[in-house]
């Protein structure tokens, strides 16, 4: 009997220990008795008859709006403004299409809406004590590329950048639609088009102003050291502390095509590696990446952009490869600063997979994550993530082992697409700045 009681006590002790360990391993777990109730789902509402619609339409109104191909898509109104030269009921509406990236947001007229699909925002309070105006329900974006951000940050970001302040830019021979809001000086906001000098990246509100500037300019390349030249492509290293105005203009340009890029950080703390196509007229910027001079973590790249007019030429892949070639010269492993944009994540996934699969095809004998890291300067975390994503890890007696049949590697390499524009490491003329090592 004593032995049975002793066994029961030991069993209970083990059960309690297992429960304690489970709670320690999952500190965010909530006991069933304290489980938080699920947030109520928003009530589905029906469109109201056109005869009951009040003009102008309110922000956060839901409706169907004309898409580029003439079809109707679900959308919501972000902002509104009176139409210049129009009557009292003539307004423009800035709309966001549901489930589509914010780069497609645009101004629309009332005639572009399906008048039988209008759902006004719900009235929450008759009078908001702060604004002395009626307060309506606000509807925010679905997770449109906001990976890695809290809901609070997403809403604050959307409110600050909800409407593009410029619609188009002209850079060299290319005219491009702007994708996102960029924090330009107030005197430049509200113009439909800005004109950028492709040499020093200053911008103007008219082509005449730009032409006058071009007649005066003497330097036809970025204000930095050329550290790479091969087949008409050059890379310039620009110090944010020495060419602050150029780098600030570059960041403003980049923000027009990157939703979550921050231009509030200290530009002086970064180096900028600017990619250019070179011809008899000079060096024309096509993309860049930035890098913190003294990163607190293993970041070898902070921000990356291939300008839309020059995309689909392999330049994004070139910039990623170039950042790792610099890491090899530094003899430091590196990884991009997160969170990455949707296109940035795809580019890095493709690059990591392509490099690792090619090495596994060529290497003889066993290979470890540490060996792959030493060969590529990828972090061990990025290598492990890639191997798991490609399902190249097997467990033998509880130990992870890289298992990579040639046929499987060939299949993954096909999915990676082309290598893009390759980097020739022999053409890089660069050494790390001893002040930032």
């Amino acid at each position: 009997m004593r032995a049975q009681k002793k066994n029961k006590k030991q069993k209970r002790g083990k059960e309690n220990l297992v429960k304690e360990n489970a709670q320690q391993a999952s500190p965010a777990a909530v006991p069933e008795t304290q489980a938080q109730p699920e947030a109520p789902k928003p009530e589905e509402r029906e469109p109201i008859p056109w005869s009951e619609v009040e003009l102008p339409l309110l922000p956060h109104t839901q409706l169907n709006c004309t898409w580029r191909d003439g079809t109707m898509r679900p959308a919501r109104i972000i902002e509104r403004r009176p139409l210049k030269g129009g009557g009292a009921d003539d307004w423009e509406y800035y709309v966001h299409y549901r489930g589509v990236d914010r780069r497609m947001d645009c101004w629309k007229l009332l005639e572009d809406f399906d008048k039988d699909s209008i759902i006004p925002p719900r009235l929450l309070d008759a009078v908001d004590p702060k604004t002395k105006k009626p307060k309506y329900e606000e509807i925010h974006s679905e997770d449109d590329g906001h990976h890695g951000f809290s809901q609070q940050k997403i809403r604050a970001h959307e409110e600050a950048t909800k409407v593009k302040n410029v619609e188009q830019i002209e850079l060299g021979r290319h005219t491009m639609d702007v994708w996102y809001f960029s924090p330009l000086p107030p005197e430049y906001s509200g113009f439909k088009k800005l004109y950028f000098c492709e040499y020093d990246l200053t911008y103007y509100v008219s082509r005449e102003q730009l032409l006058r500037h071009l007649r005066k300019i003497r330097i036809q390349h970025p204000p930095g050291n050329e550290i790479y030249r091969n087949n008409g492509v050059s890379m310039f290293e620009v110090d944010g502390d020495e060419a602050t105005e150029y780098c600030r203009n570059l960041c403003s340009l980049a923000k027009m095509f990157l939703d979550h890029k921050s231009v509030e950080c200290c530009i002086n703390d970064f180096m900028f590696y600017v990619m250019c196509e070179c011809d008899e007229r000079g060096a024309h910027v096509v993309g860049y990446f930035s890098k913190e001079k003294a990163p607190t973590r293993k970041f070898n790249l902070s921000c990356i952009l291939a300008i839309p007019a020059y995309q689909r030429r392999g330049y994004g892949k070139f910039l990623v490869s170039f950042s790792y070639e610099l890491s090899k010269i530094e003899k430091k492993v590196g990884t991009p600063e997160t969170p990455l944009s949707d296109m940035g994540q795809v580019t890095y996934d493709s690059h990591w997979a392509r490099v690792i699969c090619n090495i596994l095809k060529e290497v003889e004998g066993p290979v470890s994550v540490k060996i792959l890291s030493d060969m590529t300067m990828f972090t061990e975390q990025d290598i492990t993530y890639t191997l798991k994503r490609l399902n190249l890890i097997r467990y033998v007696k509880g130990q992870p082992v890289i298992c990579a049949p040639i046929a499987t590697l060939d299949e993954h390499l096909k999915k990676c697409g082309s290598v893009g524009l390759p980097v020739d490491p022999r053409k890089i003329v660069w050494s790390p700045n001893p002040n930032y090592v």
Side-chain angles (χ1 to χ4, degrees):
M1 292 291 292
R2 290 181 180 177
Q4 289 179 355
K5 290 181 178 180
K6 186 177 181 181
N7 290 336
K8 287 182 179 179
K9 288 183 179 179
Q10 289 178 347
K11 187 176 181 180
R12 288 172 184 168
K14 289 181 179 179
E15 289 176 353
N16 292 334
L17 181 60
V18 170
K19 289 180 181 179
E20 290 176 3
N21 289 339
Q23 290 177 358
Q24 290 175 1
S26 303
V30 180
E32 290 185 10
T33 56
Q34 300 178 4
Q36 298 296 324
E38 292 185 2
K41 295 182 179 180
E43 179 186 352
E44 292 289 338
R45 292 184 292 137
E46 296 294 328
I48 64 174
W50 174 247
S51 59
E52 299 178 14
V53 173
E54 295 184 8
L55 297 178
L57 298 176
L58 293 168
H60 301 287
T61 295
Q62 301 177 67
L63 39 71
N64 292 333
C65 181
T66 306
W67 181 246
R68 291 187 168 188
D69 59 2
T71 61
M72 289 288 179
R73 289 200 177 189
R76 62 185 172 88
I77 295 176
I78 304 296
E79 191 55 274
R80 62 183 184 176
R81 67 186 180 190
L83 190 63
K84 293 181 179 179
D89 292 334
D90 294 329
W91 290 66
E92 285 183 301
Y93 300 92
Y94 194 77
V95 301
H96 168 73
Y97 292 96
R98 190 183 305 168
V100 179
D101 190 272
R102 294 204 308 155
R103 73 188 67 169
M104 306 306 296
D105 295 0
C106 58
W107 289 99
K108 291 287 187 178
L109 299 175
L110 185 63
E111 62 194 41
D112 296 314
F113 302 148
D114 178 2
K115 296 180 180 180
D116 295 325
S117 66
I118 296 175
I119 305 176
R122 184 185 288 108
L123 179 65
L124 298 181
D125 293 309
V127 177
D128 186 341
K130 293 183 179 180
T131 62
K132 306 299 182 183
K133 297 179 181 179
K135 186 176 181 181
Y136 293 90
E137 174 188 34
E138 294 186 0
I139 303 170
H140 293 273
S141 293
E142 314 81 10
D143 186 16
D144 297 334
H146 301 296
H147 309 295
F149 293 91
S150 66
Q151 283 296 321
Q152 184 178 3
K153 287 187 176 180
I154 291 173
R155 293 191 177 190
H157 171 77
E158 284 185 354
E159 183 60 29
T161 65
K162 60 184 180 181
V163 179
K164 303 172 194 174
N165 47 350
V166 176
E167 295 182 20
Q168 283 188 331
I169 65 164
E170 184 176 298
L171 178 68
R173 297 175 176 175
H174 301 280
T175 297
M176 293 165 274
D177 290 335
V178 170
W179 293 356
Y180 305 109
F181 171 90
S182 182
L184 301 169
E187 60 267 26
Y188 292 96
S189 296
F191 286 93
K192 288 194 173 182
K193 190 173 184 178
L194 291 182
Y195 300 82
F196 277 78
C197 170
E198 56 184 339
Y199 304 120
D200 63 7
L201 298 184
T202 54
Y203 42 89
Y204 302 90
V205 298
S206 69
R207 184 178 285 107
E208 290 71 20
Q209 292 178 349
L210 174 63
L211 293 176
R212 284 199 297 269
H213 169 77
L214 290 174
R215 286 193 288 268
K216 300 175 184 177
I217 197 169
R218 294 291 178 265
I219 299 177
Q220 297 179 323
H221 59 76
N225 297 322
E226 187 178 14
I227 62 174
Y228 180 88
R229 183 188 298 178
N230 187 34
N231 294 330
V233 172
S234 292
M235 288 292 292
F236 292 83
E237 182 183 58
V238 183
D239 191 330
D241 195 28
E242 297 178 1
T244 305
E245 189 64 24
Y246 176 89
C247 295
R248 183 177 291 110
N249 293 339
L250 179 60
C251 289
S252 296
L253 173 65
K255 181 63 186 73
M256 295 177 176
F257 306 105
L258 297 173
D259 193 8
H260 286 286
K261 175 177 173 54
S262 173
V263 294
E264 297 176 356
C265 57
C266 184
I267 290 174
N268 306 58
D269 295 336
F270 289 82
M271 300 295 290
F272 294 79
Y273 296 88
V274 185
M275 182 180 183
C276 295
E277 287 183 352
C278 300
D279 57 24
E280 65 280 357
R281 296 188 302 113
H284 316 286
V285 59
V286 301
Y288 85 103
F289 70 88
S290 61
K291 179 181 178 182
E292 200 171 357
K293 294 177 181 177
T296 54
R297 298 172 64 182
K298 298 177 181 179
F299 296 139
N300 66 349
L301 183 146
S302 296
C303 181
I304 181 173
L305 172 72
I307 294 174
Y310 298 95
Q311 290 179 0
R312 300 188 181 277
R313 302 187 188 184
Y315 289 166
K317 297 175 181 178
F318 175 93
L319 291 169
V320 171
S321 298
F322 199 90
S323 70
Y324 280 110
E325 292 300 332
L326 297 187
S327 294
K328 291 177 183 178
I329 297 174
E330 291 180 297
K331 297 181 179 179
K332 291 181 179 180
V333 296
T335 188
E337 191 173 330
T338 54
L340 291 167
S341 65
D342 51 354
M343 292 188 292
Q345 187 67 59
V346 170
T347 301
Y348 268 93
D349 284 349
S350 172
H351 179 76
W352 290 330
R354 183 185 305 103
V355 173
I356 291 173
C357 287
N358 279 323
I359 291 176
L360 293 177
K361 282 187 66 175
E362 298 172 1
V363 71
E364 295 182 0
V367 62
S368 66
V369 171
K370 179 65 169 63
I371 292 174
L372 289 173
S373 180
D374 293 338
M375 295 174 69
T376 61
M377 289 298 132
F378 301 168
T379 64
E380 294 186 21
Q381 291 84 351
D382 291 338
I383 293 172
T384 302
Y385 156 79
T386 302
L387 292 173
K388 288 182 177 179
R389 187 176 65 84
L390 300 180
N391 198 26
L392 296 179
I393 291 182
R394 299 289 184 271
Y395 288 87
V396 179
K397 296 181 180 180
Q399 296 298 318
V401 176
I402 298 175
C403 181
I406 297 298
T408 303
L409 295 176
D410 288 337
E411 184 179 345
H412 286 311
L413 286 171
K414 287 182 181 178
K415 294 179 181 179
C416 290
S418 67
V419 69
L421 182 67
V423 178
D424 187 348
R426 300 168 300 177
K427 302 295 179 66
I428 299 177
V429 182
W430 181 83
S431 60
N433 189 323
N435 296 323
Y436 308 135
V437 175

